[in-house]
Amino acid sequence: MPRISALSLGVVALTLGLAACGGSSSSSTTSSAPASSSSSSSSSASGSSGGSGAISESADPSGQLKFTKSTLTAKAGKATVDFTNSSSLPHNMTIVDSSGKQVGATPTFAGGTKSFTADLKPGKYTFYCSVPGHRQAGMQGTLTVS
């Protein structure tokens, strides 16, 4: 009788262990869904970049609190901003004009690419990560629009 109980407990433990693995596979499927949604954002970004400007920036993939570029340039008009965050740290990209007024921003996220569209007038803009402490650590740059 004790052997049957021990065997039953072993089967239950194995079943629970496999169920836990299945749950993690399900969460990576969930991760895939936003990625395809991001690529559809990318598709619309490349579709709109034909008639207007496109701006691409990335967070440092090693996890440092910086962007891959500290200066960007763009032509005046409607522009699609694509921000890629390959880091495991959550980041965003926020753009403000010279008076500090926000002209566009991505949500804060980790992994993938998010986009937004902004109508840019000629001038200097600041882009930065608005996650507390990131801008202060140096995660900002200058966008010049001509």
Side-chain angles (χ1 to χ4, degrees), residues 22-145:
S24 110
S25 138
S26 167
S27 72
S28 57
T29 303
T30 305
S31 302
S32 301
S36 67
S37 147
S38 286
S39 45
S40 69
S41 285
S42 274
S43 297
S44 67
S46 59
S48 48
S49 68
S52 64
I55 300 168
S56 295
E57 177 62 291
S58 300
D60 181 82
S62 72
Q64 293 184 14
L65 298 181
K66 64 180 188 175
F67 290 103
T68 56
K69 296 173 265 190
S70 60
T71 58
L72 299 171
T73 58
K75 297 284 184 194
K78 192 172 188 172
T80 299
V81 179
D82 296 321
F83 174 60
T84 301
N85 182 10
S86 299
S87 168
S88 60
L89 292 175
H91 294 296
N92 65 53
M93 183 173 174
T94 302
I95 298 177
V96 295
D97 64 16
S98 59
S99 69
K101 180 181 175 193
Q102 182 176 307
V103 296
T106 67
T108 300
F109 66 100
T113 299
K114 303 288 182 184
S115 302
F116 65 90
T117 303
D119 188 19
L120 301 172
K121 311 239 182 291
K124 292 221 182 256
Y125 296 78
T126 300
F127 63 92
Y128 62 93
C129 178
S130 69
V131 172
H134 290 204
R135 183 178 187 183
Q136 294 81 354
M139 196 166 183
Q140 70 174 7
T142 303
L143 166 64
T144 303
V145 178

